[in-house]
Amino acid sequence: MDSMATSPQQQSIDISKMPDKDRQELQQFVSNEAQKATVQQDTCWKKCVTSRISSGKMDRGEESCVANCVDRFFDANMTVLKHLEALRGEGGGGI
């Protein structure tokens, strides 16, 4: 009964017990997500932060631009993920 008291967030997954194919897919997914995050951060920073930050804070326009850029990035990723899930549900299988 103790295992049922543990929330899903508190449980850890031992990836060494996963089949090799699943483990490789998970590692590739994590690697891809890290790479996308880096690209996204660099892209939004270069696009939005146009002045020198001397006060330790971005100005209001830069802050808003970065927030919107990050939001668009996440929206685009969610759209792609939903589309892929729909394809998988339709029997797209090889995704």
Side-chain angles (χ1 to χ4, degrees):
M1 283 262 214
D2 289 314
S3 64
M4 294 186 84
T6 305
S7 73
Q9 292 84 9
Q10 294 172 334
Q11 295 177 0
S12 61
I13 298 171
D14 184 357
I15 66 169
S16 67
K17 294 180 181 178
M18 295 174 74
D20 286 342
K21 183 180 181 211
D22 291 345
R23 186 172 45 243
Q24 289 171 349
E25 286 180 11
L26 177 61
Q27 289 170 339
Q28 185 63 47
F29 174 79
V30 170
S31 175
N32 290 346
E33 290 302 307
Q35 186 177 19
K36 284 194 296 187
T38 299
V39 168
Q40 177 262 329
Q41 288 169 353
D42 289 345
T43 300
C44 291
W45 185 266
K46 288 175 185 172
K47 176 184 177 195
C48 297
V49 181
T50 57
S51 63
R52 182 176 169 95
I53 300 176
S54 56
S55 67
K57 287 186 168 185
M58 292 185 280
D59 70 34
R60 219 177 248 168
E62 291 170 335
E63 198 173 306
S64 175
C65 179
V66 169
N68 288 332
C69 183
V70 170
D71 286 345
R72 282 192 309 271
F73 176 79
F74 284 122
D75 289 343
N77 278 312
M78 288 304 298
T79 300
V80 169
L81 288 173
K82 286 178 183 177
H83 179 71
L84 291 174
E85 276 299 312
L87 289 176
R88 178 177 271 174
E90 293 172 3
I95 298 174

